[in-house]
Amino acid sequence: MRILVVGTGGREHALLWKLRRDAPSAELFATQPNAGMASLARPVPIAPGDVEALTGWAASQRIDLAVVGPEAPLAAGIADRFRKKGVPVFGPSAEAARIEASKAFAKDLMTEAGIPTAGHRTFTDAEQAVAFIRESGAPIVVKASGLAAGKGAVVCATVEEAEAAVSSMLHDRAFGEAGREVVIEEFMEGEELSVFAVTDGEEALLLLSAQDHKRIGEGDTGLNTGGMGAYAPVSLATPAILLEAREKILVPTLRALAAKGCPFKGLLYAGLMLTKDGPKVVEFNCRFGDPETQAILPLLDSSLLELFAEVAEGGSLKGREPRFRAETAVTTVLASEGYPGDYPKGRTIDIPAAVSDDPDVMVFHAGTQLAGDRVVTSGGRVMTVTGIGATLAEAASRSREAAASIRFDGKQFRRDISWREMARDERMKV
Ligand code: AMP
Ligand code: GLY
């Protein structure tokens, strides 16, 4: 079997790692692989965003399954193009990917279908947006409607901050075209939970839920990032909460998309806020989470490839049930100096043998590349280090210690990944 993974980050490294385990004899290919992916897959010298070139390549290479990691090629229609050329693909059509690519579309769909989410209004006119903010008061949330690499949401404590956010998006175009339209939302209070469903358009097969740490600083302080660490499972994701998420959020969303003529076939990621009134949607994503995937996949015992292939071939997931190890995984992101702002590249990375050889530690590369025989940094998020353990404390210390022992100049990482769950554990003991 010939499998192509599109994307170059930690999530894609984890996907390749799992596919390699599921199909030891498959031929794996990856677009512009980072240094870690390069040992698992043959390189395809085409950027993940070059949809036309990739379509031609995949069709001519008789690829049996394409798995698309990032949202941008999905929003640009890569799955539609692949299907048209007869390349089976796991990932939604461009129309279905609007659930992530246009927050305005997602919010309207949720409102129409009665799916619990923050109340909102959409604006292209700054004066109207500001009038609405003044009328609503703070705290309030201002979001660029389009794709902004996870950085387009601003939670504002004051009306002045919200006005400044509107002005930077609509006037200064801080997020370019993604901020041509802004969504202004009610502030929701609670803990966040990332819920993942593999779906054929109707069935929603839930994977383990995870919690991400989006802020750069320990204790969840400082600027928003693409994600600085994650852990799974999360005790807040009780069977009752997951049932509610499935019945009130995931299934109705899939029905609403199918009713619009764009069934969602791929991975639907619901970012939820667990409010006192039950789970509400913060956002949908049309792909796996990064870094949540690096925590979830090492715990998945059953085949991911079988699920991908079924969906890609247009089959049904009815009766399937993913099986997870009864252990915990914590993944810590190592980021470059300066991230989430500008950062240097080309710094040499040293991974001690004790880390590479530990069967309970997985190093998933993100922004790395090979420079001769050295591995060097090439992105903001450089790698994620997953620790597996029988307990959360064990998993967290494995991840943290491995993160501490990997070296490159200017390395930043958070030592407190999974702190909320740790605090819950402590409270349970008292
Ligand atoms: P998003 O890009 O929509 O995922 O938002 C990024 C982060 O901003 C989320 O993970 C939340 O922490 C926060 N956030 C977004 N929307 C809201 C909201 N309506 N209420 C409270 N926090 C929010
Ligand atoms: N971890 C957040 C995301 O993948 O969007």
Side-chain angles (χ1 to χ4, degrees):
M1 189 173 193
R2 293 161 68 78
I3 306 173
L4 168 68
V5 171
V6 177
T8 62
R11 165 185 51 210
E12 288 77 22
H13 188 180
L15 285 165
L16 275 175
W17 175 88
K18 176 62 176 152
L19 292 170
R20 172 51 78 218
R21 299 197 136 198
D22 291 347
S25 61
E27 269 185 275
L28 301 180
F29 297 87
T31 53
Q32 302 185 334
N34 60 40
M37 295 163 79
S39 61
L40 286 170
R42 286 163 59 184
V44 179
I46 303 174
D50 193 344
V51 170
E52 277 317 304
L54 275 177
T55 307
W57 183 89
S60 71
Q61 294 291 316
R62 302 179 322 281
I63 288 297
D64 301 299
L65 172 68
V67 178
V68 184
E71 61 277 14
L74 290 166
I78 196 168
D80 309 79
R81 300 284 297 127
F82 277 20
R83 283 193 191 102
K84 217 171 184 168
K85 290 283 181 192
V87 177
V89 54
F90 180 81
S93 66
E95 283 213 308
R98 282 181 297 169
I99 198 80
E100 172 168 2
S102 165
K103 287 192 194 288
F105 171 84
K107 293 298 286 191
D108 289 347
L109 181 116
M110 286 188 265
T111 308
E112 281 166 31
I115 292 160
T117 186
H120 83 287
R121 293 271 302 272
T122 301
F123 297 92
T124 48
D125 180 273
E127 264 175 42
Q128 286 175 11
V130 165
F132 177 71
I133 287 167
R134 290 189 181 153
E135 194 185 302
S136 311
I140 195 160
V141 183
V142 179
K143 297 183 179 182
S145 179
L147 293 178
K151 296 170 195 152
V154 190
V155 177
C156 306
T158 64
V159 164
E160 291 70 32
E161 264 179 64
E163 290 181 14
V166 162
S167 166
S168 84
M169 289 180 200
L170 288 178
H171 285 148
D172 309 338
R173 289 288 156 92
F175 297 100
E177 279 305 291
R180 201 182 53 77
E181 195 172 34
V182 298
V183 171
I184 299 181
E185 289 192 354
E186 169 201 349
F187 173 77
M188 298 185 286
E189 222 172 305
E191 273 206 49
E192 287 181 68
L193 185 70
S194 305
V195 176
F196 301 95
V198 179
T199 171
D200 55 15
E202 279 178 33
E203 299 287 322
L205 280 195
L206 291 196
L207 302 179
L208 282 184
S209 299
Q211 199 168 45
D212 183 13
H213 298 58
K214 291 219 167 96
R215 306 289 197 96
I216 187 74
E218 287 175 10
D220 296 333
T221 53
L223 293 175
N224 255 320
T225 69
M228 291 300 290
Y231 67 96
V234 184
S235 62
L236 293 171
T238 59
I241 289 281
L242 292 177
L243 185 69
E244 196 173 346
R246 178 205 293 277
E247 300 303 322
K248 294 199 178 146
I249 293 171
L250 293 162
V251 171
T253 300
L254 293 175
R255 284 210 191 103
L257 284 164
K260 283 191 186 296
C262 49
F264 187 102
K265 298 179 185 216
L267 192 289
L268 182 62
Y269 161 164
L272 303 182
M273 190 70 83
L274 304 180
T275 74
K276 63 179 186 352
D277 304 319
K280 294 188 180 181
V281 176
V282 178
E283 61 161 356
F284 279 116
N285 293 313
C286 64
R287 37 92 193 157
F288 278 92
D290 189 346
E292 292 98 319
T293 304
Q294 294 91 302
I296 292 170
L297 294 188
L299 297 176
L300 177 59
D301 260 343
S302 56
S303 171
L304 185 63
L305 174 58
E306 278 177 27
L307 304 181
F308 284 177
E310 193 70 61
V311 173
E313 298 288 352
S316 165
L317 294 173
K318 229 188 189 100
R320 300 237 186 205
E321 192 82 57
R323 267 190 338 274
F324 287 91
R325 284 159 72 171
E327 290 182 295
T328 298
V330 173
T331 200
T332 302
V333 172
L334 305 186
S336 289
E337 185 172 11
Y339 178 80
D342 292 340
Y343 50 82
K345 295 182 183 177
R347 298 203 163 155
T348 302
I349 304 169
D350 173 47
I351 305 176
V355 170
S356 321
D357 297 344
D358 186 338
D360 291 318
V361 171
M362 289 104 210
V363 176
F364 296 115
H365 291 226
T368 73
Q369 65 186 38
L370 288 170
D373 56 1
R374 287 178 309 136
V375 176
V376 301
T377 65
S378 65
R381 289 193 292 177
V382 174
M383 44 182 59
T384 62
V385 187
T386 303
I388 307 288
T391 62
L392 175 70
E394 223 175 271
S397 75
R398 282 207 174 102
S399 173
R400 188 168 51 238
E401 281 164 24
S405 69
I406 294 173
R407 284 189 297 267
F408 57 87
D409 280 350
K411 176 184 77 176
Q412 311 187 57
F413 72 101
R414 282 180 58 170
R415 294 174 175 273
D416 67 342
I417 303 305
S418 77
W419 70 272
R420 290 174 192 275
E421 188 79 12
M422 292 278 193
R424 273 191 289 276
D425 269 6
E426 287 304 312
R427 283 199 297 276
M428 295 284 286
K429 283 188 202 140
V430 192

